[in-house]
Amino acid sequence: MRSSRAFCLLAFLLCLGSGASAHYVRLDEELVTKGTLTVGLGLSGRPFAYREGGVLKGFEVEISRAVAEAHGLDLEIKQLPRAKLRAALEAGEVDAINTLPLKQESQAAGLALLPYLAVGNHMLVLKGNPFRVENAGDLGGRTVAVTGGTSAEVFARALSDELEAAGGNSMRIHSFPNHRHTHIPVSMGHAAAYFVHTVSAIATTRDPESRMMLVEGVFRAEREVGFAVYEKGSNIHHAIEHAIAAAVATGKYDRLVSEAGLPPDLSAFKK
């Protein structure tokens, strides 16, 4: 699905051709502020969207900047509580919002989504990888940790079932009631790995004091996140779609992903 979207976006960019000038003329009529792209941004955590020294930083800030620059617009970011993101968009206070802070897809139901990342669940191991876990196939018969009732637990149990179905040993899955305790068996060397959602996984592995590392490739996407606009097919919708397509086609998107320290697994445009 993600590879086909990348192709479609590139085709859209190439086909836009000479019609682009009319598109730019009409865009100002829909913007909250003429000449400015106004994005409502809920903090989604480091390195996605966070505040440091009073300044908003992160991948979601930089992809917003890339969209604005692609159309010669200034960028205004309004930091909003996640509970007020949709209301601000529907009230016409912002041109677009980020959907990563919305915990449920239903919170963005009815809005037009323009994805720029996939999020889901990952596998983390102790730095140095003492159990030599290179992929999920190395976990047969080994102990792993999860937080009970989460999609990470569902992922781990599905992987365990796949191992058993292939004729190997299933995992020994230890479920913990609280997220903050889930890493402890791995930290103490009693478990080979633990499973956790994207935001926590990336925040943990980006922390220079962390003892954990992410095993790339062991990932199950749960949903796509990106910009949401009020109306699909609007000029703002097309403008953002056009700008994302340009960023993908020129390699700028991949650079932003890399500079933010995000694993390739999270790309919404995997080849």
Side-chain angles (χ1 to χ4, degrees), residues 165-189:
N169 294 319
S170 60
M171 303 177 198
R172 294 191 295 270
I173 300 175
H174 288 194
S175 180
F176 291 81
N178 297 306
H179 168 71
R180 66 180 180 274
H181 297 142
T182 304
H183 74 93
I184 293 176
V186 179
S187 296
M188 297 181 67

PDB file of all heavy atoms in Angstrom, residues 165-189:
ATOM      1  N   ALA A 165       3.729 -22.103  14.250  1.00  0.00           N
ATOM      2  CA  ALA A 165       3.129 -22.648  13.029  1.00  0.00           C
ATOM      3  C   ALA A 165       4.187 -23.085  12.020  1.00  0.00           C
ATOM      4  O   ALA A 165       3.956 -23.986  11.202  1.00  0.00           O
ATOM      5  CB  ALA A 165       2.206 -21.617  12.398  1.00  0.00           C
ATOM      6  N   ALA A 166       5.367 -22.440  12.080  1.00  0.00           N
ATOM      7  CA  ALA A 166       6.453 -22.784  11.165  1.00  0.00           C
ATOM      8  C   ALA A 166       7.285 -23.962  11.667  1.00  0.00           C
ATOM      9  O   ALA A 166       8.295 -24.319  11.061  1.00  0.00           O
ATOM     10  CB  ALA A 166       7.360 -21.565  10.959  1.00  0.00           C
ATOM     11  N   GLY A 167       6.849 -24.547  12.784  1.00  0.00           N
ATOM     12  CA  GLY A 167       7.537 -25.715  13.313  1.00  0.00           C
ATOM     13  C   GLY A 167       8.578 -25.404  14.368  1.00  0.00           C
ATOM     14  O   GLY A 167       9.300 -26.305  14.817  1.00  0.00           O
ATOM     15  N   GLY A 168       8.674 -24.153  14.794  1.00  0.00           N
ATOM     16  CA  GLY A 168       9.634 -23.779  15.814  1.00  0.00           C
ATOM     17  C   GLY A 168       8.997 -23.678  17.188  1.00  0.00           C
ATOM     18  O   GLY A 168       7.845 -24.078  17.403  1.00  0.00           O
ATOM     19  N   ASN A 169       9.736 -23.121  18.116  1.00  0.00           N
ATOM     20  CA  ASN A 169       9.227 -22.922  19.470  1.00  0.00           C
ATOM     21  C   ASN A 169       8.544 -21.562  19.584  1.00  0.00           C
ATOM     22  O   ASN A 169       8.987 -20.585  18.990  1.00  0.00           O
ATOM     23  CB  ASN A 169      10.372 -22.983  20.481  1.00  0.00           C
ATOM     24  CG  ASN A 169      11.001 -24.355  20.554  1.00  0.00           C
ATOM     25  OD1 ASN A 169      10.306 -25.374  20.521  1.00  0.00           O
ATOM     26  ND2 ASN A 169      12.323 -24.400  20.648  1.00  0.00           N
ATOM     27  N   SER A 170       7.491 -21.500  20.352  1.00  0.00           N
ATOM     28  CA  SER A 170       6.825 -20.230  20.610  1.00  0.00           C
ATOM     29  C   SER A 170       7.643 -19.421  21.617  1.00  0.00           C
ATOM     30  O   SER A 170       8.575 -19.935  22.246  1.00  0.00           O
ATOM     31  CB  SER A 170       5.421 -20.464  21.159  1.00  0.00           C
ATOM     32  OG  SER A 170       5.482 -21.189  22.381  1.00  0.00           O
ATOM     33  N   MET A 171       7.319 -18.156  21.757  1.00  0.00           N
ATOM     34  CA  MET A 171       7.980 -17.315  22.756  1.00  0.00           C
ATOM     35  C   MET A 171       7.359 -17.560  24.135  1.00  0.00           C
ATOM     36  O   MET A 171       6.198 -17.954  24.239  1.00  0.00           O
ATOM     37  CB  MET A 171       7.797 -15.834  22.413  1.00  0.00           C
ATOM     38  CG  MET A 171       8.275 -15.394  21.069  1.00  0.00           C
ATOM     39  SD  MET A 171       7.850 -13.621  20.861  1.00  0.00           S
ATOM     40  CE  MET A 171       8.003 -13.460  19.086  1.00  0.00           C
ATOM     41  N   ARG A 172       8.107 -17.246  25.157  1.00  0.00           N
ATOM     42  CA  ARG A 172       7.559 -17.178  26.508  1.00  0.00           C
ATOM     43  C   ARG A 172       7.248 -15.702  26.769  1.00  0.00           C
ATOM     44  O   ARG A 172       8.166 -14.900  26.977  1.00  0.00           O
ATOM     45  CB  ARG A 172       8.548 -17.736  27.532  1.00  0.00           C
ATOM     46  CG  ARG A 172       8.820 -19.228  27.373  1.00  0.00           C
ATOM     47  CD  ARG A 172       9.594 -19.781  28.568  1.00  0.00           C
ATOM     48  NE  ARG A 172      10.920 -19.177  28.642  1.00  0.00           N
ATOM     49  CZ  ARG A 172      12.007 -19.686  28.042  1.00  0.00           C
ATOM     50  NH1 ARG A 172      11.903 -20.793  27.312  1.00  0.00           N
ATOM     51  NH2 ARG A 172      13.180 -19.098  28.169  1.00  0.00           N
ATOM     52  N   ILE A 173       5.971 -15.351  26.726  1.00  0.00           N
ATOM     53  CA  ILE A 173       5.567 -13.948  26.791  1.00  0.00           C
ATOM     54  C   ILE A 173       5.149 -13.577  28.202  1.00  0.00           C
ATOM     55  O   ILE A 173       4.197 -14.154  28.745  1.00  0.00           O
ATOM     56  CB  ILE A 173       4.425 -13.668  25.805  1.00  0.00           C
ATOM     57  CG1 ILE A 173       4.887 -13.973  24.372  1.00  0.00           C
ATOM     58  CG2 ILE A 173       3.959 -12.211  25.909  1.00  0.00           C
ATOM     59  CD1 ILE A 173       3.799 -13.844  23.326  1.00  0.00           C
ATOM     60  N   HIS A 174       5.861 -12.636  28.810  1.00  0.00           N
ATOM     61  CA  HIS A 174       5.519 -12.133  30.134  1.00  0.00           C
ATOM     62  C   HIS A 174       4.824 -10.786  29.968  1.00  0.00           C
ATOM     63  O   HIS A 174       5.393  -9.851  29.396  1.00  0.00           O
ATOM     64  CB  HIS A 174       6.770 -11.990  31.002  1.00  0.00           C
ATOM     65  CG  HIS A 174       7.341 -13.309  31.437  1.00  0.00           C
ATOM     66  ND1 HIS A 174       8.284 -13.418  32.438  1.00  0.00           N
ATOM     67  CD2 HIS A 174       7.100 -14.577  31.018  1.00  0.00           C
ATOM     68  CE1 HIS A 174       8.595 -14.696  32.612  1.00  0.00           C
ATOM     69  NE2 HIS A 174       7.898 -15.412  31.751  1.00  0.00           N
ATOM     70  N   SER A 175       3.627 -10.703  30.487  1.00  0.00           N
ATOM     71  CA  SER A 175       2.809  -9.497  30.340  1.00  0.00           C
ATOM     72  C   SER A 175       2.815  -8.691  31.631  1.00  0.00           C
ATOM     73  O   SER A 175       2.609  -9.241  32.720  1.00  0.00           O
ATOM     74  CB  SER A 175       1.377  -9.908  29.972  1.00  0.00           C
ATOM     75  OG  SER A 175       0.564  -8.791  29.812  1.00  0.00           O
ATOM     76  N   PHE A 176       3.055  -7.382  31.508  1.00  0.00           N
ATOM     77  CA  PHE A 176       3.118  -6.491  32.665  1.00  0.00           C
ATOM     78  C   PHE A 176       1.957  -5.491  32.627  1.00  0.00           C
ATOM     79  O   PHE A 176       1.572  -5.022  31.555  1.00  0.00           O
ATOM     80  CB  PHE A 176       4.451  -5.743  32.687  1.00  0.00           C
ATOM     81  CG  PHE A 176       5.626  -6.626  32.973  1.00  0.00           C
ATOM     82  CD1 PHE A 176       6.196  -7.386  31.967  1.00  0.00           C
ATOM     83  CD2 PHE A 176       6.137  -6.724  34.254  1.00  0.00           C
ATOM     84  CE1 PHE A 176       7.269  -8.226  32.232  1.00  0.00           C
ATOM     85  CE2 PHE A 176       7.205  -7.563  34.537  1.00  0.00           C
ATOM     86  CZ  PHE A 176       7.775  -8.323  33.518  1.00  0.00           C
ATOM     87  N   PRO A 177       1.403  -5.141  33.772  1.00  0.00           N
ATOM     88  CA  PRO A 177       0.248  -4.235  33.785  1.00  0.00           C
ATOM     89  C   PRO A 177       0.590  -2.792  33.448  1.00  0.00           C
ATOM     90  O   PRO A 177      -0.264  -2.043  32.990  1.00  0.00           O
ATOM     91  CB  PRO A 177      -0.284  -4.357  35.219  1.00  0.00           C
ATOM     92  CG  PRO A 177       0.893  -4.794  36.032  1.00  0.00           C
ATOM     93  CD  PRO A 177       1.714  -5.658  35.111  1.00  0.00           C
ATOM     94  N   ASN A 178       1.843  -2.399  33.671  1.00  0.00           N
ATOM     95  CA  ASN A 178       2.235  -1.006  33.446  1.00  0.00           C
ATOM     96  C   ASN A 178       3.406  -0.928  32.473  1.00  0.00           C
ATOM     97  O   ASN A 178       4.365  -1.699  32.568  1.00  0.00           O
ATOM     98  CB  ASN A 178       2.643  -0.332  34.760  1.00  0.00           C
ATOM     99  CG  ASN A 178       1.495  -0.262  35.741  1.00  0.00           C
ATOM    100  OD1 ASN A 178       0.429   0.240  35.414  1.00  0.00           O
ATOM    101  ND2 ASN A 178       1.704  -0.770  36.951  1.00  0.00           N
ATOM    102  N   HIS A 179       3.331   0.042  31.579  1.00  0.00           N
ATOM    103  CA  HIS A 179       4.384   0.221  30.573  1.00  0.00           C
ATOM    104  C   HIS A 179       5.747   0.449  31.219  1.00  0.00           C
ATOM    105  O   HIS A 179       6.770  -0.060  30.730  1.00  0.00           O
ATOM    106  CB  HIS A 179       4.016   1.404  29.664  1.00  0.00           C
ATOM    107  CG  HIS A 179       5.134   1.859  28.788  1.00  0.00           C
ATOM    108  ND1 HIS A 179       5.597   1.113  27.721  1.00  0.00           N
ATOM    109  CD2 HIS A 179       5.909   2.989  28.830  1.00  0.00           C
ATOM    110  CE1 HIS A 179       6.598   1.760  27.141  1.00  0.00           C
ATOM    111  NE2 HIS A 179       6.802   2.889  27.784  1.00  0.00           N
ATOM    112  N   ARG A 180       5.775   1.190  32.309  1.00  0.00           N
ATOM    113  CA  ARG A 180       7.059   1.562  32.909  1.00  0.00           C
ATOM    114  C   ARG A 180       7.835   0.357  33.442  1.00  0.00           C
ATOM    115  O   ARG A 180       9.042   0.446  33.690  1.00  0.00           O
ATOM    116  CB  ARG A 180       6.854   2.589  34.024  1.00  0.00           C
ATOM    117  CG  ARG A 180       6.098   2.091  35.231  1.00  0.00           C
ATOM    118  CD  ARG A 180       5.955   3.201  36.274  1.00  0.00           C
ATOM    119  NE  ARG A 180       5.237   2.778  37.456  1.00  0.00           N
ATOM    120  CZ  ARG A 180       3.912   2.805  37.574  1.00  0.00           C
ATOM    121  NH1 ARG A 180       3.181   3.249  36.563  1.00  0.00           N
ATOM    122  NH2 ARG A 180       3.321   2.410  38.688  1.00  0.00           N
ATOM    123  N   HIS A 181       7.154  -0.780  33.633  1.00  0.00           N
ATOM    124  CA  HIS A 181       7.826  -1.974  34.150  1.00  0.00           C
ATOM    125  C   HIS A 181       8.250  -2.934  33.043  1.00  0.00           C
ATOM    126  O   HIS A 181       9.019  -3.866  33.299  1.00  0.00           O
ATOM    127  CB  HIS A 181       6.900  -2.729  35.117  1.00  0.00           C
ATOM    128  CG  HIS A 181       6.549  -1.947  36.339  1.00  0.00           C
ATOM    129  ND1 HIS A 181       5.298  -1.981  36.919  1.00  0.00           N
ATOM    130  CD2 HIS A 181       7.286  -1.086  37.090  1.00  0.00           C
ATOM    131  CE1 HIS A 181       5.277  -1.192  37.971  1.00  0.00           C
ATOM    132  NE2 HIS A 181       6.471  -0.639  38.096  1.00  0.00           N
ATOM    133  N   THR A 182       7.776  -2.714  31.826  1.00  0.00           N
ATOM    134  CA  THR A 182       7.932  -3.710  30.771  1.00  0.00           C
ATOM    135  C   THR A 182       9.389  -3.925  30.374  1.00  0.00           C
ATOM    136  O   THR A 182       9.791  -5.038  30.018  1.00  0.00           O
ATOM    137  CB  THR A 182       7.092  -3.309  29.540  1.00  0.00           C
ATOM    138  OG1 THR A 182       5.735  -3.134  29.960  1.00  0.00           O
ATOM    139  CG2 THR A 182       7.137  -4.373  28.473  1.00  0.00           C
ATOM    140  N   HIS A 183      10.196  -2.886  30.445  1.00  0.00           N
ATOM    141  CA  HIS A 183      11.592  -3.018  30.020  1.00  0.00           C
ATOM    142  C   HIS A 183      12.461  -3.722  31.048  1.00  0.00           C
ATOM    143  O   HIS A 183      13.574  -4.187  30.714  1.00  0.00           O
ATOM    144  CB  HIS A 183      12.193  -1.630  29.763  1.00  0.00           C
ATOM    145  CG  HIS A 183      12.486  -0.878  31.027  1.00  0.00           C
ATOM    146  ND1 HIS A 183      13.716  -0.907  31.656  1.00  0.00           N
ATOM    147  CD2 HIS A 183      11.677  -0.111  31.812  1.00  0.00           C
ATOM    148  CE1 HIS A 183      13.674  -0.183  32.754  1.00  0.00           C
ATOM    149  NE2 HIS A 183      12.451   0.326  32.878  1.00  0.00           N
ATOM    150  N   ILE A 184      12.008  -3.837  32.285  1.00  0.00           N
ATOM    151  CA  ILE A 184      12.871  -4.303  33.379  1.00  0.00           C
ATOM    152  C   ILE A 184      13.474  -5.683  33.125  1.00  0.00           C
ATOM    153  O   ILE A 184      14.687  -5.875  33.331  1.00  0.00           O
ATOM    154  CB  ILE A 184      12.113  -4.251  34.726  1.00  0.00           C
ATOM    155  CG1 ILE A 184      11.835  -2.789  35.097  1.00  0.00           C
ATOM    156  CG2 ILE A 184      12.921  -4.943  35.828  1.00  0.00           C
ATOM    157  CD1 ILE A 184      11.005  -2.612  36.361  1.00  0.00           C
ATOM    158  N   PRO A 185      12.695  -6.690  32.677  1.00  0.00           N
ATOM    159  CA  PRO A 185      13.328  -7.998  32.435  1.00  0.00           C
ATOM    160  C   PRO A 185      14.442  -7.952  31.393  1.00  0.00           C
ATOM    161  O   PRO A 185      15.433  -8.682  31.499  1.00  0.00           O
ATOM    162  CB  PRO A 185      12.159  -8.867  31.944  1.00  0.00           C
ATOM    163  CG  PRO A 185      10.940  -8.193  32.432  1.00  0.00           C
ATOM    164  CD  PRO A 185      11.246  -6.732  32.421  1.00  0.00           C
ATOM    165  N   VAL A 186      14.293  -7.081  30.399  1.00  0.00           N
ATOM    166  CA  VAL A 186      15.333  -6.936  29.381  1.00  0.00           C
ATOM    167  C   VAL A 186      16.539  -6.224  29.982  1.00  0.00           C
ATOM    168  O   VAL A 186      17.692  -6.624  29.782  1.00  0.00           O
ATOM    169  CB  VAL A 186      14.796  -6.175  28.151  1.00  0.00           C
ATOM    170  CG1 VAL A 186      15.892  -6.009  27.106  1.00  0.00           C
ATOM    171  CG2 VAL A 186      13.606  -6.913  27.553  1.00  0.00           C
ATOM    172  N   SER A 187      16.293  -5.162  30.737  1.00  0.00           N
ATOM    173  CA  SER A 187      17.378  -4.417  31.378  1.00  0.00           C
ATOM    174  C   SER A 187      18.209  -5.305  32.300  1.00  0.00           C
ATOM    175  O   SER A 187      19.426  -5.130  32.421  1.00  0.00           O
ATOM    176  CB  SER A 187      16.811  -3.242  32.180  1.00  0.00           C
ATOM    177  OG  SER A 187      16.171  -2.308  31.340  1.00  0.00           O
ATOM    178  N   MET A 188      17.546  -6.265  32.941  1.00  0.00           N
ATOM    179  CA  MET A 188      18.224  -7.150  33.897  1.00  0.00           C
ATOM    180  C   MET A 188      18.806  -8.392  33.236  1.00  0.00           C
ATOM    181  O   MET A 188      19.444  -9.221  33.903  1.00  0.00           O
ATOM    182  CB  MET A 188      17.247  -7.553  35.007  1.00  0.00           C
ATOM    183  CG  MET A 188      16.756  -6.392  35.845  1.00  0.00           C
ATOM    184  SD  MET A 188      15.623  -6.903  37.162  1.00  0.00           S
ATOM    185  CE  MET A 188      16.719  -7.848  38.217  1.00  0.00           C
ATOM    186  N   GLY A 189      18.576  -8.522  31.937  1.00  0.00           N
ATOM    187  CA  GLY A 189      19.134  -9.674  31.226  1.00  0.00           C
ATOM    188  C   GLY A 189      18.320 -10.943  31.353  1.00  0.00           C
ATOM    189  O   GLY A 189      18.787 -12.029  30.982  1.00  0.00           O
TER     190      GLY A 189
END
